[in-house]
Amino acid sequence: MYFYYSYAMIIKMEVSIIGKRFNVTAVCLPKIHYMVDITDRLTAIKKMIDRGDYFTINRARQYGKTTTLIALSDFLKEDYLVVSLDFQMLGTEAFRTESAFVAAFSRLILRAMRHEKIPSSVFERLNNYADNNHTNNSMDELFFLLGDWCEQSEKPNVLLIDEIDTASNYSIFLDFLAQLRAAYISRNQQPTFQSVILAGVYDIKNLKRKFVSEGQHNTNSPWNIAADYLIDMSFSKKDISGMLYEYEQDYKTGMDINYIAGFIYDYTAGYPFLVSRICQLLDEQIAGTPAFPDRKAAWSTLGLKEAVSHLISEKNTLFESLTDKVESYPDLKELLYYLLMNGKEITYNPDHVAIDIALMFGFVKVEEKKVVISNRIFETRLYNMFLTSPEMQKSEMYSLGSRDKYQFIQGSQLNMERILERFVICFNDLYGDQPQKFKEEDGRRYFLLYLRPIINGRGNYYIESQTRNQERTDVIVDYCGHQYIIELKIWHGNTYHTRGEQQLTDYLNHYHTKKGYMLSFNFNKKKEIGVKHIILGDKILIEAVV
């Protein structure tokens, strides 16, 4: 929904423009919104249409599907007659019977094509089908009509349907897909659409699960003719830079466009809504506050961190949808909890139902054949959701963090060394004489449970994805503009530990800071519990051992 395209708008309107703005609701319009240029993506989609592909654009919510379809309609109009429909405009009654669906579908076409020339015979028959008094409408007759229309058109016809999820609960939709499939298979014998594109969150294959009886696992779909849609719809750093360049031309903030774009990409991995929302927050809510009196002050590292903090803590339609999905799919919830709390890698398996669902809803992505959380924003939001659940807040470690939190805050900074000292004491009070109660993979969860109430409201944290594994986790804490690098490790001997210290030193160099923290979970009976300082060159490592 958040793209820039350099062609005329389809919807004609009078717009009084005071200035462009970033947009995160509904469709983006190039005359009034800052957007990303997707010309290359549209060109790639057109290549699929040119070769006659039928396919589905399945992406998570607020990922730009609708704006892409609107842009595509205009992009194709020189070469194709585009029939662009939105199933969101169909009510429940439209799916009650076959005749009702044919009537409603015909009305959609007539409305969508009201400014286009339709052959008179086709127009007349569509009007007849659209009349609700005709109770004998059939799907077969509708597709005979669509075939005749395709044969009479001066240009090849392309069918675009947005919001197909609206139809996902109705078996009549599967009949509709079956007719499209039949027309595709016999297209060498009779005219039909050059291409059909369906857009929605759900994969058509997954829709089939809703219509099989309990205990069955049939996922066959009448949409098995669909070509793979592999076009990346996320925003690259270059895409974000282009959008910011246009903004900078208008406001002359002096921002470092390349740095700002990289920062936004690092946190969002290019998820369109998240990119646009951070920019919108900087422009409309952060700039002009006492801490950031103008746009120049806002478009800075501190301003970006403030925008991220605001985004992670706010309620919006995307996060509400994600939360609903987690609660609605127990297998998905279990998968996400395992990924976040255990720190163990999950190898991608295309036949794993929970992984398939997590990919479909945008929670995860696949990198080097491993399943990982899609971006830092989602990761932190999910951590917060799990760590602040009623069950977690009743835990002893969370309660201790809440009780101790005020002793760690010194002005606008955290005393991270003191946090580690108290965590060591609390941990050993709870588990020191009962090691059987503690599992190695629980270390991250316990530390984050202790840390969460301390930074709540003023800080955030994320897990560095490049260093995440079962034995090592780097937690980055942002608190009031200050950053703290904490490495969590499982003890595996002195040699391994020395190597870990060097890894953290290298990591501190990357973050341009001289002080780092290490929390080691040591299960050696001869371990020395406590906190100590280690000097490595010009770096100070503060190590806590539990």
Side-chain angles (χ1 to χ4, degrees):
M1 292 186 292
Y2 321 99
F3 305 121
Y4 173 82
Y5 41 93
S6 56
Y7 30 79
M9 288 169 27
I10 293 175
I11 303 173
K12 296 179 180 179
M13 58 175 62
E14 293 291 332
V15 181
S16 175
I17 302 177
I18 299 175
K20 286 188 176 184
R21 60 189 297 263
F22 296 101
N23 181 48
V24 294
T25 57
V27 177
C28 287
L29 304 173
K31 288 188 177 180
I32 58 175
H33 299 136
Y34 294 108
M35 290 173 277
V36 166
D37 185 345
I38 60 163
T39 303
D40 289 344
R41 296 168 178 80
L42 297 177
T43 301
I45 296 174
K46 185 176 182 297
K47 288 180 179 178
M48 297 181 70
I49 293 170
D50 291 342
R51 64 179 181 238
D53 287 344
Y54 284 31
F55 56 96
T56 306
I57 299 178
N58 290 123
R59 290 295 183 274
R61 293 206 176 278
Q62 295 180 288
Y63 217 94
K65 299 181 295 294
T66 298
T67 298
T68 297
L69 288 186
I70 290 176
L72 184 63
S73 294
D74 197 59
F75 193 76
L76 296 173
K77 66 183 181 181
E78 294 299 321
D79 299 313
Y80 296 101
L81 177 67
V82 180
V83 184
S84 184
L85 310 179
D86 184 349
F87 268 15
Q88 200 167 219
M89 300 176 70
L90 297 180
T92 302
E93 289 298 320
F95 298 96
R96 194 168 297 279
T97 66
E98 181 176 332
S99 181
F101 177 80
V102 172
F105 189 81
S106 299
R107 288 193 292 272
L108 270 187
I109 291 178
L110 288 171
R111 179 173 180 174
M113 306 302 291
R114 62 189 180 276
H115 299 302
E116 301 289 341
K117 184 178 180 181
I118 300 177
S120 58
S121 60
V122 173
F123 182 80
E124 182 178 347
R125 289 157 68 189
L126 281 172
N127 267 312
N128 287 334
Y129 292 152
D131 188 344
N132 279 322
N133 293 324
H134 287 262
T135 58
N136 296 321
N137 293 339
S138 73
M139 197 80 75
D140 290 343
E141 291 175 347
L142 173 65
F143 273 83
F144 285 142
L145 168 58
L146 295 177
D148 290 343
W149 184 13
C150 292
E151 184 174 29
Q152 296 176 48
S153 291
E154 296 179 2
K155 301 175 183 178
N157 288 19
V158 173
L159 176 64
L160 311 181
I161 303 180
D162 197 9
E163 298 291 349
I164 59 165
D165 297 342
T166 305
S168 64
N169 290 320
Y170 305 102
S171 58
I172 194 71
F173 180 55
L174 295 182
D175 297 335
F176 174 73
L177 292 179
Q179 289 282 358
L180 286 174
R181 178 179 181 273
Y184 174 87
I185 292 172
S186 60
R187 57 184 174 170
N188 289 332
Q189 287 76 44
Q190 58 188 29
T192 188
F193 293 105
Q194 166 74 14
S195 178
V196 175
I197 305 172
L198 310 179
V201 173
Y202 288 86
D203 186 343
I204 295 297
K205 182 177 70 174
N206 290 324
L207 297 182
K208 187 66 174 177
R209 294 195 180 102
K210 298 188 178 185
F211 304 107
V212 297
S213 61
E214 186 175 353
Q216 292 179 304
H217 300 284
N218 181 9
T219 57
N220 292 330
S221 169
W223 200 241
N224 58 11
I225 57 171
D228 291 333
Y229 180 79
L230 303 176
I231 298 168
D232 188 2
M233 292 175 64
S234 64
F235 294 167
S236 66
K237 180 181 175 182
K238 180 181 177 182
D239 292 331
I240 300 169
S241 294
M243 179 171 62
L244 294 180
Y245 178 79
E246 185 182 2
Y247 178 86
E248 182 65 9
Q249 291 297 104
D250 289 340
Y251 291 105
K252 307 293 190 299
T253 68
M255 75 167 82
D256 183 337
I257 291 176
N258 187 59
Y259 170 78
I260 298 290
F263 186 105
I264 293 173
Y265 182 82
D266 285 346
Y267 274 84
T268 65
Y271 196 109
F273 173 88
L274 300 178
V275 171
S276 294
R277 182 57 177 157
I278 288 175
C279 293
Q280 186 183 61
L281 288 169
L282 286 167
D283 182 56
E284 299 182 11
Q285 295 190 33
I286 293 174
T289 62
F292 305 94
D294 53 29
R295 287 186 170 92
K296 181 178 181 179
W299 290 90
S300 63
T301 300
L302 291 179
L304 285 165
K305 290 180 179 179
E306 182 68 19
V308 167
S309 179
H310 187 113
L311 174 58
I312 289 172
S313 62
E314 75 176 5
K315 292 186 68 174
N316 59 51
T317 54
L318 176 60
F319 291 155
E320 288 174 353
S321 175
L322 294 179
T323 301
D324 178 68
K325 297 298 185 296
V326 171
E327 297 303 328
S328 299
Y329 293 86
D331 289 346
L332 170 65
K333 187 174 186 177
E334 182 180 348
L335 173 75
L336 295 173
Y337 187 92
Y338 185 88
L339 268 175
L340 292 168
M341 298 302 180
N342 286 5
K344 296 181 179 179
E345 292 183 339
I346 296 180
T347 301
Y348 173 62
N349 177 1
D351 299 319
H352 192 292
V353 174
I355 292 176
D356 192 37
I357 293 172
L359 283 167
M360 181 174 64
F361 291 140
F363 286 102
V364 302
K365 58 185 177 181
V366 178
E367 289 184 347
E368 298 179 353
K369 298 183 180 180
K370 303 295 182 183
V371 179
V372 299
I373 303 297
S374 290
N375 55 71
R376 290 179 185 173
I377 301 294
F378 280 7
E379 182 173 69
T380 304
R381 186 79 182 201
L382 288 167
Y383 266 122
N384 290 347
M385 184 179 70
F386 286 124
L387 293 174
T388 58
S389 67
E391 179 184 0
M392 289 290 192
Q393 290 190 50
K394 291 177 183 178
S395 70
E396 293 176 285
M397 193 61 78
Y398 191 95
S399 298
L400 290 170
S402 297
R403 185 197 66 185
D404 293 344
K405 64 181 180 180
Y406 294 109
Q407 64 180 285
F408 307 129
I409 301 171
Q410 300 174 342
S412 63
Q413 297 189 47
L414 291 175
N415 187 333
M416 187 58 68
E417 181 174 354
R418 179 62 178 156
I419 290 174
L420 294 179
E421 288 175 349
R422 284 295 302 161
F423 177 76
V424 169
I425 294 171
C426 293
F427 184 90
N428 283 283
D429 285 347
L430 292 174
Y431 307 107
D433 58 350
Q434 303 179 67
Q436 70 277 5
K437 291 178 61 177
F438 180 77
K439 298 178 182 179
E440 288 189 1
E441 60 266 24
D442 288 337
R444 179 191 337 197
R445 175 164 61 91
Y446 283 126
F447 179 67
L448 293 179
L449 272 172
Y450 188 75
L451 180 66
R452 173 62 192 165
I454 296 170
I455 65 173
N456 186 36
R458 301 187 70 188
N460 286 297
Y461 55 89
Y462 65 89
I463 309 300
E464 176 52 61
S465 60
Q466 295 179 357
T467 61
R468 180 198 291 113
N469 58 51
Q470 184 178 353
E471 297 166 340
R472 175 190 177 196
T473 301
D474 289 326
V475 179
I476 315 299
V477 177
D478 286 323
Y479 188 86
C480 295
H482 301 279
Q483 196 165 67
Y484 307 86
I485 318 298
I486 311 154
E487 180 173 333
L488 311 184
K489 293 189 73 69
I490 305 297
W491 182 279
H492 286 284
N494 288 324
T495 301
Y496 184 90
H497 186 63
T498 301
R499 187 168 69 249
E501 292 174 349
Q502 185 58 50
Q503 287 175 337
L504 182 55
T505 302
D506 294 340
Y507 200 51
L508 294 178
N509 285 330
H510 173 74
Y511 274 88
H512 307 291
T513 185
K514 294 186 179 297
K515 182 184 290 187
Y517 304 86
M518 180 183 291
L519 176 58
S520 297
F521 294 91
N522 189 336
F523 300 95
N524 189 327
K525 292 182 179 180
K526 297 181 180 180
K527 64 184 177 182
E528 294 183 11
I529 296 172
V531 177
K532 62 181 178 181
H533 287 212
I534 301 171
I535 307 299
L536 293 176
D538 63 343
K539 302 291 188 294
I540 299 176
L541 304 185
I542 299 173
E543 180 183 10
V545 177
V546 297

